[in-house]
Amino acid sequence: QVQLVESGGGLVQPGGSLRLSCAASGNIFSIVAMAWYRQAPGKERELVAAITSGDSTNYADSLKGRFTISRDNAKNTVYLQMNSLKPEDTAVYYCRVIEVRGNYWGQGTQVTVSS
């Protein structure tokens, strides 16, 4: 079993920044990719960004240039740096880890962008 612990969400004013973290622990064999998704009220969950074990990255087109995903392989941790935040970025952000033996989700962390 793999456990994911997310942190870094909160309330931020428009134009501000936040950095989300997601640490994976437990029975980890080999992580293939790590990703962030988000789900706003009344909307479907959508991919924000993903990073593979080889550090290839993929972003939602609408977020390129504002969000940056990175990872620390030694700590099994993925980060999401979010800059120039907008009210429409308000959502619950979920971490996902794709491991060779399974697919795991975090509990979600709330990000609210409001003045």
Side-chain angles (χ1 to χ4, degrees):
Q1 190 70 9
V2 175
Q3 295 81 40
L4 303 181
V5 177
E6 298 157 343
S7 60
L11 173 65
V12 63
Q13 293 186 343
S17 297
L18 282 176
R19 188 191 194 210
L20 305 183
S21 300
C22 173
S25 62
N27 192 18
I28 298 170
F29 182 68
S30 179
I31 293 176
V32 175
M34 305 178 85
W36 288 97
Y37 288 73
R38 70 183 183 183
Q39 188 167 18
K43 295 188 177 182
E44 293 186 354
R45 190 173 297 189
E46 62 176 356
L47 175 68
V48 173
I51 184 166
T52 69
S53 58
D55 285 337
S56 295
T57 57
N58 182 42
Y59 293 91
D61 287 341
S62 62
L63 301 176
K64 288 179 181 177
R66 294 196 298 123
F67 289 15
T68 303
I69 191 169
S70 61
R71 61 186 288 179
D72 184 332
N73 291 331
K75 296 181 180 179
N76 289 324
T77 299
V78 62
Y79 306 96
L80 184 68
Q81 178 67 43
M82 305 185 292
N83 299 327
S84 302
L85 284 162
K86 305 175 181 180
E88 51 264 42
D89 294 318
T90 295
V92 178
Y93 284 71
Y94 296 90
C95 172
R96 180 187 183 192
V97 169
I98 302 170
E99 202 257 357
V100 291
R101 297 172 299 180
N103 178 22
Y104 304 93
W105 290 88
Q107 79 285 358
T109 184
Q110 177 69 46
V111 171
T112 302
V113 184
S114 175
S115 55

